[in-house]
Amino acid sequence: MTTTFTPWEAVELELVAQTYGDPDWTVKRIAEKLERSENEIYAAAKLLGVQRPKRRLDYARIAELKSQGLSDDTIANLLGCSKGGVQGALRSMNEKQHVEKRKQRELREKTNKPWQPKEKQFLADHYSKPNWDCHRIAVELRRSEASVYRKAFDLGLKKGKAA
């Protein structure tokens, strides 16, 4: 199938220049008005140096629609954006969740920070109490159980006996 190129008329280029940057005009609408393909509109806009306004996608709405089981195409049609825009938003949200999970994991992991006198005192006061197990102390001090056991050993603390 061969496509013949129809030269642009000045009136057509002027319409593209005036409407392409207007968010109320979709590329599809401009193409229909001029009886040209969307690709031709993109090419003319590039030639004229006009750009579409940047749209901020509603990430929360995209996540909500995705959780309802809608496809990327359907979401794009509902929000009036491209499928690629929806996919990019979903990737970005996934990356943000991944970064947040990594930050939370790093907070729980070993930090190698020195023990403060208040922490040592708390450990000495609670380690021998039967209702304060090592896990509970570790959570309270935001340290690993291994570090609590090690510091208790270093301080000569024993479970079930007063310090």
Side-chain angles (χ1 to χ4, degrees), residues 75-88:
I75 295 169
N77 287 334
L78 286 172
L79 298 180
C81 64
S82 68
K83 178 181 174 182
V86 171
Q87 290 171 338

Side-chain angles (χ1 to χ4, degrees), residues 36-54:
R36 290 191 176 258
S37 71
E38 290 180 35
N39 285 340
E40 287 178 296
I41 302 303
Y42 289 125
K46 186 174 183 177
L47 180 77
L48 295 168
V50 291
Q51 295 182 344
R52 301 282 298 163
K54 298 277 185 207

Side-chain angles (χ1 to χ4, degrees), residues 33 41 44 52-53 56 68 70-71 79 90 92 132-133 157:
K33 175 90 172 160
I41 302 303
R52 301 282 298 163
R56 292 244 176 236
Q68 293 173 8
L70 298 178
S71 70
L79 298 180
L90 291 169
S92 179
W132 279 86
D133 64 356
L157 303 175

Side-chain angles (χ1 to χ4, degrees), residues 10-69:
V11 176
E12 292 177 310
L13 291 173
E14 190 173 327
L15 182 73
V16 172
Q18 290 174 353
T19 58
Y20 191 78
D22 186 345
D24 294 333
W25 281 82
T26 64
V27 174
K28 184 176 183 176
R29 183 173 163 204
I30 298 168
E32 288 171 355
K33 175 90 172 160
L34 295 175
E35 296 179 358
R36 290 191 176 258
S37 71
E38 290 180 35
N39 285 340
E40 287 178 296
I41 302 303
Y42 289 125
K46 186 174 183 177
L47 180 77
L48 295 168
V50 291
Q51 295 182 344
R52 301 282 298 163
K54 298 277 185 207
R55 289 186 55 199
R56 292 244 176 236
L57 293 176
D58 185 352
Y59 283 28
R61 181 81 173 126
I62 290 172
E64 176 189 338
L65 293 171
K66 193 64 176 177
S67 70
Q68 293 173 8

